[in-house]
């Protein structure tokens, strides 16, 4: 099974699964996932435990720049996708160019939409689409202080001290 997949191919695969007698529950989450860390792994593991198939929408490089600024991402999208696809609990990875995954969510119609608990339920992009299709929204508690931004700050701090 190829994990890094186009939206068209993924939609076809999910449609095939849904025709089965007992269709699998599709879980969708998204993010930049720039510099994978333990917080990402725990979050994705929990997301996968909520269903049978975990689809990760990965922000493209241009999308990350729109959200995080011109200095991001640190890791290019193809490498971020490769790392994400290597995780055993991730079933599919699809890259999207928009700032939010609303278009993906509308096309994929996941049963469960997952975001971090730092997002208010009402602010989760695509939540209304998932609910309208009978799906559920789940918010996962994040590990305090674990973020790519904090890792970048720590690296810069350590290197500045070393140079002084």
């Amino acid at each position: 099974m190829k994990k890094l997949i186009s939206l068209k191919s993924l939609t076809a695969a999910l449609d095939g699964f849904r025709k089965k007698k007992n269709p699998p529950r599709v879980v969708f989450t998204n993010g930049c996932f720039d510099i994978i860390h333990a917080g990402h792994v725990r979050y994705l593991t929990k997301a996968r435990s909520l269903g049978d198939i975990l689809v990760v929408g990965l922000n493209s490089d241009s999308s990350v720049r729109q959200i995080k600024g011109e200095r991001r991402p640190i890791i290019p999208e193809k490498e971020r996708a490769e790392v994400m696809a290597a995780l055993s609990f991730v079933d599919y990875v699809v890259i999207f160019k928009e700032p939010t995954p609303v278009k993906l969510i509308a096309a994929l119609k996941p049963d469960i939409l997952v975001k971090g608990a730092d997002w208010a339920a009402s602010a989760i992009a695509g939540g209304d689409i998932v609910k309208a299709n009978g799906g559920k929204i789940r918010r996962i508690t994040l590990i305090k202080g674990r973020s790519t931004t904090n890792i970048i700050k720590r690296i810069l701090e350590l290197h500045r001290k070393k140079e002084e």
Side-chain angles (χ1 to χ4, degrees), residues 57-110:
L58 186 70
N59 290 79
S60 68
D61 289 348
S62 61
S63 176
V64 174
R65 279 191 288 280
Q66 288 178 325
I67 298 165
K68 306 277 186 180
E70 285 302 313
R71 293 183 177 184
R72 299 281 298 275
I74 302 297
I75 309 297
E77 68 188 51
K78 288 183 180 179
E79 291 179 30
R80 290 184 287 121
E82 182 180 343
V83 170
M84 190 62 54
L87 299 173
S88 62
F89 40 81
V90 173
D91 295 294
Y92 295 103
V93 178
V94 59
I95 297 172
F96 65 99
K97 295 181 186 290
E98 301 79 17
T100 73
V102 171
K103 178 180 164 187
L104 270 182
I105 292 166
L108 299 176
K109 299 177 186 75

Side-chain angles (χ1 to χ4, degrees), residues 5-15 55 92-94 104 108:
I5 192 167
S6 70
L7 177 57
K8 182 179 179 181
S9 296
L10 179 56
T11 303
L14 295 180
D15 286 347
V55 176
Y92 295 103
V93 178
V94 59
L104 270 182
L108 299 176

Side-chain angles (χ1 to χ4, degrees), residues 82-150:
E82 182 180 343
V83 170
M84 190 62 54
L87 299 173
S88 62
F89 40 81
V90 173
D91 295 294
Y92 295 103
V93 178
V94 59
I95 297 172
F96 65 99
K97 295 181 186 290
E98 301 79 17
T100 73
V102 171
K103 178 180 164 187
L104 270 182
I105 292 166
L108 299 176
K109 299 177 186 75
D111 301 297
I112 302 165
L113 173 59
V114 176
K115 281 303 278 182
D118 56 329
W119 287 86
S122 61
I124 296 174
D128 54 339
I129 296 167
V130 172
K131 286 180 182 177
N133 286 316
K136 298 176 182 175
I137 310 300
R138 293 289 181 258
R139 295 166 58 236
I140 295 175
T141 302
L142 303 177
I143 301 171
K144 188 175 182 176
R146 295 287 183 264
S147 73
T148 298
T149 300
N150 286 344

